[in-house]
Amino acid sequence: DIQMTQSPASLSASPEEIVTITCQASQDIGNWLAWYQQKPGKSPQLLIYSATSLADGIPSRFSGSRSGTQYSLKISRLQVEDTGIYYCLQRYSNPWTFGGGTKLELK
Amino acid sequence: EVQLVESGGGLVQPGRSLKLSCLASGFTFSNYGMNWIRQAPGKGLEWVASISSSSSYIYYADTVKGRFTISRDNAKNTLYLQMTSLRSEDTALYYCARDRLGVMDAWGQGASVTVSS
């Protein structure tokens, strides 16, 4: 199974700051990587697919990148509503696996 | 508007069975693969099962293989998850999600399953 190691597990940042969350895949997964945001008490929402493509309706301050088997989600100009837990997901091979999640809090 | 509404959750004793349903609307259900994903209380997301649009391809996580069965009725726009031999570790919020763009792009609000005596 492909392991997705996500870091950090939690972080706290101030509005307007830039934050980066990373996922390290245990093997090559190409661009089969997605990012989700889960707000408290809500279902996950797709942010990024194919490692770098922005999902419909998602603000452009969210962006995804890839360097080898390391994938990053960058949130620029952090807003209060960005509070939540962020997960990566690999869809390269079955079983599909999620990262452990990153809890983002705003100061 | 894409909508996925899960139902059928509840409290069930260990070893018993439960069947979840997910009613889809706002899109042509028969054109899309579908998934079940679960989230144990206070924990992360775990993929459970997937089914292709015509039910030709079905996949399960090892943790549920042989106990859970995913199925769909395209005429009723409904996805199912039959769960048998339930264990305490199956306690979770179960989401159904649509497959699009190679990912799960739309999720329901979840159905709560609690396995306890």
Side-chain angles (χ1 to χ4, degrees):
Chain A
D1 298 1
I2 296 175
Q3 309 301 318
M4 302 301 297
T5 302
Q6 191 170 338
S7 62
S10 64
L11 76 155
S12 181
S14 300
E16 298 300 318
E17 278 190 27
I18 299 173
V19 298
T20 300
I21 299 167
T22 64
C23 264
Q24 179 70 50
S26 61
Q27 65 184 74
D28 178 35
I29 60 169
N31 284 332
W32 292 95
L33 190 284
W35 290 98
Y36 294 88
Q37 175 195 59
Q38 186 175 32
K39 294 184 178 181
K42 301 293 186 183
S43 317
Q45 180 182 20
L46 178 66
L47 299 174
I48 301 286
Y49 64 96
S50 298
T52 61
S53 298
L54 196 64
D56 293 344
I58 302 301
S60 59
R61 52 199 182 75
F62 289 88
S63 63
S65 63
R66 171 194 174 191
S67 176
T69 57
Q70 181 166 289
Y71 300 80
S72 299
L73 173 70
K74 185 170 85 170
I75 312 173
S76 304
R77 303 184 306 280
L78 207 57
Q79 305 294 307
V80 172
E81 59 265 29
D82 297 334
T83 295
I85 302 177
Y86 291 79
Y87 295 94
C88 63
L89 165 69
Q90 71 81 16
R91 283 294 296 264
Y92 178 77
S93 73
N94 196 270
W96 323 129
T97 44
F98 290 90
T102 295
K103 186 174 184 179
L104 172 61
E105 294 180 331
L106 276 286
K107 291 179 183 175
Chain B
E1 178 194 5
V2 173
Q3 279 202 313
L4 297 167
V5 180
E6 300 93 337
S7 61
L11 173 63
V12 61
Q13 293 179 326
R16 303 298 290 264
S17 300
L18 199 64
K19 187 172 186 177
L20 302 181
S21 299
C22 170
L23 178 62
S25 61
F27 65 101
T28 305
F29 180 71
S30 60
N31 287 350
Y32 293 87
M34 296 294 294
N35 307 271
W36 288 100
I37 302 100
R38 68 185 181 183
Q39 187 168 35
K43 302 296 184 182
L45 300 168
E46 178 190 15
W47 168 76
V48 172
S50 296
I51 186 168
S52 62
S53 58
S54 60
S55 304
S56 298
Y57 301 97
I58 288 175
Y59 306 99
Y60 296 99
D62 285 346
T63 51
V64 306
K65 198 173 295 181
R67 299 188 299 122
F68 289 13
T69 302
I70 188 173
S71 63
R72 63 191 297 161
D73 185 334
N74 286 343
K76 295 183 178 180
N77 290 340
T78 303
L79 174 73
Y80 302 101
L81 185 67
Q82 176 70 56
M83 303 182 291
T84 65
S85 303
L86 282 161
R87 307 165 180 168
S88 58
E89 54 264 38
D90 296 320
T91 294
L93 190 61
Y94 285 73
Y95 295 103
C96 67
R98 184 180 73 170
D99 247 25
R100 179 175 168 265
L101 306 170
V103 292
M104 297 91 161
D105 77 318
W107 298 56
Q109 84 289 347
S112 179
V113 173
T114 301
V115 183
S116 174
S117 55

